Amino acid sequence: MQRIRLRYTKRGRLRFTSHRDFQRAFERALRRSAVPMAYSAGFTPHPKVSYANAAPTGVASEAEYLEIGLAAFRDPEELRAQLDESLPNGLDVIDAVEVRTPNFVERLEASEWQVRLDGVTPQEAAAAAAAFLAEERVEVERLTKNGVRVFDARGAVAVLEILSPQVDSGADTDDERGRDVRTGRPCAILRLVVRHATPAVRPDDVLSGLRATADLAPPVPAEVTRLAQGPLDEGTGTVTDPLALDRAVAPAGPVAAGEPRATASA
């Protein structure tokens, strides 16, 4: 069985699709593309598809990941292009590699987020970020299926900084309306790097922490985009490519169908 790891996006209005909505769309794309899926054994076989750390509904993302198992060999790039063509614009498959290393989910150590705060000046956001980072612990509440849970939002934050505001003529074009981070009016834009922990700390939890420590309350909901998820470089505060290991052990030339493929042991 061949396994392929895919990176896909949720852009524009498609940020409002739930994870289940994407699953249904992806299953249809598999059928349209005639992908030779491998199936689980048992009384009710299902296609071998596994997802990792899906972004919440309403949050855009440039870095969502899944893995599929195939019953026959397919070229990863050709498969990527066919699946991308079969999905709606905004749900875009942008990368594909053949699985050559184990423990992929363990490599998803952190996420990098971009948070747009309309109605908040960069100066206000910078002061709030400084107050948040100065605290050793910032407790926030979140309603879960098991009731209200209190946890620390500060400990998981590796980076919180203010980016230069994006301002231009503000032309209301189709491209402008579809962007995840729009230009045309001043606002505060945060770069946030959060370690994956239990319980998971999300951007809205950090915004709750900013409200608690600095009374920062944007007048409109924040626009959040996940830019990356993967291994965290603690020295630079950057999130690196989780597919890099699979590429690093790929053979130098094309591998014919049926030939053995080298895999890393770690």
Side-chain angles (χ1 to χ4, degrees):
M1 181 182 72
Q2 184 190 28
R3 292 183 296 154
I4 303 291
R5 287 176 180 145
L6 301 170
R7 176 181 176 182
Y8 66 96
T9 71
K10 290 201 308 176
R11 295 169 171 162
R13 295 180 180 177
L14 272 298
R15 71 170 65 210
F16 297 106
T17 57
S18 68
H19 181 54
R20 183 59 189 140
D21 291 333
F22 175 79
Q23 286 179 311
R24 286 192 288 263
F26 187 69
E27 289 166 4
R28 288 194 294 269
L30 290 171
R31 291 194 294 270
R32 289 170 182 162
S33 302
V35 177
M37 292 298 298
Y39 283 79
S40 63
F43 186 72
T44 55
H46 58 273
K48 291 192 173 183
V49 183
S50 58
Y51 300 87
N53 294 344
T57 303
V59 171
S61 180
E62 293 293 315
E64 301 296 288
Y65 294 93
L66 62 82
E67 183 178 307
I68 61 175
L70 305 181
F73 175 82
R74 295 287 296 274
D75 177 76
E77 176 55 27
E78 292 180 3
L79 176 65
R80 183 209 64 77
Q82 290 175 341
L83 289 172
D84 185 55
E85 182 70 22
S86 298
L87 285 166
N89 291 334
L91 299 179
D92 305 314
V93 183
I94 60 174
D95 203 354
V97 299
E98 186 170 3
V99 174
R100 301 178 185 279
T101 61
N103 305 323
F104 178 75
V105 173
E106 294 178 9
R107 299 206 291 271
L108 302 181
E109 298 173 346
S111 286
E112 178 181 355
W113 304 90
Q114 185 166 275
V115 183
R116 178 188 174 97
L117 303 177
D118 280 309
V120 176
T121 68
Q123 294 76 18
E124 291 172 329
F132 178 90
L133 293 172
E135 299 290 335
E136 292 187 2
R137 181 178 178 87
V138 178
E139 291 189 344
V140 299
E141 295 183 349
R142 186 200 300 162
L143 181 62
T144 70
K145 61 182 180 181
N146 296 320
V148 176
R149 184 168 187 177
V150 179
F151 57 95
D152 176 28
R154 173 64 184 90
V157 175
V159 176
L160 175 57
E161 60 186 9
I162 313 303
L163 302 181
S164 300
Q166 300 180 18
V167 182
D168 67 2
S169 61
D172 191 20
T173 64
D174 288 340
D175 179 66
E176 183 74 12
R177 288 192 295 268
R179 288 184 184 177
D180 293 322
V181 178
R182 296 189 300 273
T183 58
R185 58 183 183 272
C187 68
I189 300 176
L190 310 182
R191 175 179 175 260
L192 177 63
V193 177
V194 180
R195 300 179 186 89
H196 295 167
T198 303
V201 174
R202 306 181 305 203
D204 57 318
D205 299 319
V206 176
L207 292 175
S208 295
L210 293 173
R211 187 180 304 112
T213 57
D215 197 29
L216 183 71
V220 297
E223 291 187 11
V224 180
T225 302
R226 174 149 59 190
L227 300 179
Q229 62 171 323
L232 174 63
D233 185 331
E234 293 281 359
T236 63
T238 58
V239 178
T240 59
D241 182 9
L243 301 178
L245 277 178
D246 294 293
R247 294 192 184 92
V249 299
V255 178
E259 290 187 12
R261 296 172 177 79
T263 57
S265 58

